[in-house]
Amino acid sequence: MDVSTTLWVLTIVGLAALIAVDFFIGRKPHDVSIKEAGIWTIVWIALAGLFGLGLLVFGGGQPSGEFFAGFITEKSLSVDNLFVFVLIMAKFSVPSQYQQRVLLIGVLIALVLRAIFIAAGAAIISSFAWIFYIFGAFLIYTAWKLIQEARADEPEEEWEENKLLKAVEKRFGVADRYHGTKLWIQQNGKRVMTPMLVVMLAIGTTDVLFALDSIPAIFGLTQDPYIVFTANAFALMGLRQLYFLIGGLLRKLVHLSYGLSVILGFIGVKLVLHALHESGVHVPEISIPVSLGVICAVLIVTTITSLMASKKQAAAEAAQETEGASKDSIEA
């Protein structure tokens, strides 16, 4: 898809305007209700849908299909981010009324960092076609690792700060408590960061780790930097509302890791086949409609089986509690 500089500028300005509106509406710290989160989640998904339809009208079916496949993939992978965001919020004891602001700025930092990743990825792909072999192998390895972690069924670990964040904290110092939405304060004659700024940086920099698999994954669906960027932007900007909407349902998505591993493995195979094709080897390539169908099917099946397994587990736990109560009453 041939994208002019003007279209790039208009797209970035449009996204910035949407972010500004979102920030203006939620500028006052408050607890986000399920209704508010649901409305904004629908709004961002609807905006992504309209953008995809615009690509269909002005660019054709190929760019539109690539965008929707990329958006759904990035959205599903971003849900996995929410597990870590929950741990980060707990780690820093972020008051509920400030969590919306933390996520907004954190996601913006993540979007800027991802834009850098996308630009670097596009430059590498345009110069070295063999990079698809590495991307494909990495995604297949990541898929296998996800399955191993899911099967390990280890207890949830506490989130640990990365070295970059620790270095920043040591360099500037951190206040001992939150000061509203302030990011910097004067303490003992020295300008120090507040925990609010630290947790924002934690959200943004932690997302870089997730970008290591999500960026190669979307490049496996499209090599158009414009579609890669916009799919990431729409997926990330709706992530804040999704956090409040499905926060209580995250633990019920017990098979999410399996579903994501299937998607990453599938895209990894697609990348390897594409690399072989580019090398002159006659192998079948997986089309975008097939990719979109597989991704949607895996997510639907994963969600259904997760909810069924969670319901079954809850029923078993309830039965055990009832049985235990009965034994206690008999002994009494």
Side-chain angles (χ1 to χ4, degrees):
M1 182 176 173
D2 187 19
V3 180
S4 64
T5 303
T6 302
L7 182 56
W8 268 106
V9 172
L10 289 175
T11 301
I12 294 173
V13 170
L15 287 171
L18 291 172
I19 293 168
V21 170
D22 192 0
F23 181 83
F24 178 79
I25 293 175
R27 68 189 184 281
K28 185 178 179 181
H30 65 284
D31 292 324
V32 178
S33 65
I34 296 296
K35 180 180 178 181
E36 179 185 347
I39 290 173
W40 274 101
T41 297
I42 293 172
V43 167
W44 279 107
I45 292 176
L47 289 172
L50 290 173
F51 183 83
L53 292 176
L55 287 177
L56 176 63
V57 173
F58 297 103
Q62 181 75 9
S64 178
E66 291 176 352
F67 171 79
F68 282 118
F71 171 73
I72 294 172
T73 299
E74 293 299 314
K75 199 71 172 177
S76 60
L77 289 172
S78 67
V79 171
D80 204 31
N81 299 20
L82 297 183
F83 287 98
V84 179
F85 289 175
V86 170
L87 294 179
I88 292 175
M89 293 292 189
K91 171 77 173 182
F92 291 97
S93 302
V94 182
S96 58
Q97 67 269 26
Y98 298 145
Q99 290 184 5
Q100 180 181 229
R101 179 68 60 85
V102 166
L103 286 170
L104 177 62
I105 304 301
V107 166
L108 284 176
I109 294 172
L111 184 57
V112 172
L113 293 176
R114 286 203 182 198
I116 297 172
F117 268 60
I118 291 167
I124 294 173
I125 287 172
S126 63
S127 302
F128 309 102
W130 50 262
I131 198 67
F132 287 114
Y133 287 111
I134 297 177
F135 280 0
F138 177 73
L139 290 180
I140 293 172
Y141 167 76
T142 304
W144 175 81
K145 189 177 178 182
L146 272 177
I147 292 177
Q148 295 299 312
E149 291 175 355
R151 293 180 65 185
D153 195 25
E154 296 177 351
E156 190 177 76
E157 297 181 357
E158 186 180 358
W159 179 83
E160 293 293 337
E161 299 177 32
N162 56 58
K163 293 181 179 180
L164 175 61
L165 194 59
K166 288 180 178 179
V168 172
E169 290 179 12
K170 185 177 180 180
R171 168 65 179 82
F172 296 100
V174 183
D176 57 355
R177 63 182 178 86
Y178 288 88
H179 293 263
T181 57
K182 291 182 179 178
L183 304 182
W184 298 88
I185 63 164
Q186 289 290 333
Q187 183 172 286
N188 299 326
K190 181 182 177 182
R191 193 164 181 256
V192 300
M193 301 189 301
T194 65
M196 175 71 75
L197 178 56
V198 175
V199 71
M200 287 176 179
L201 293 174
I203 294 286
T205 54
T206 299
D207 182 78
V208 173
L209 300 177
F210 293 99
L212 292 178
D213 55 35
S214 66
I215 298 300
I218 193 170
F219 270 116
L221 298 169
T222 176
Q223 284 81 60
D224 190 326
Y226 181 76
I227 296 176
V228 173
F229 173 75
T230 51
N232 268 274
F234 279 107
L236 280 178
M237 291 316 303
L239 188 60
R240 179 167 61 97
Q241 289 76 18
L242 202 60
Y243 172 88
F244 296 104
L245 182 64
I246 70 171
L249 297 175
L250 284 175
R251 296 184 182 276
K252 294 185 178 181
L253 299 176
V254 294
H255 295 160
L256 178 63
S257 293
Y258 292 103
L260 294 180
S261 66
V262 171
I263 291 173
L264 290 177
F266 170 78
I267 298 176
V269 172
K270 184 179 185 297
L271 273 171
V272 172
L273 291 175
H274 177 73
L276 290 171
H277 182 78
E278 290 293 314
S279 300
V281 181
H282 296 289
V283 293
E285 284 203 88
I286 302 173
S287 65
I288 287 298
V290 172
S291 299
L292 186 57
V294 169
I295 292 168
C296 291
V298 170
L299 290 176
I300 292 171
V301 171
T302 299
T303 302
I304 294 174
T305 58
S306 292
L307 296 178
M308 290 175 62
S310 297
K311 185 177 180 180
K312 185 177 179 180
Q313 183 179 357
E317 291 175 353
Q320 288 178 355
E321 291 178 0
T322 303
E323 183 180 352
S326 299
K327 288 182 179 179
D328 292 340
S329 62
I330 292 173
E331 290 177 358

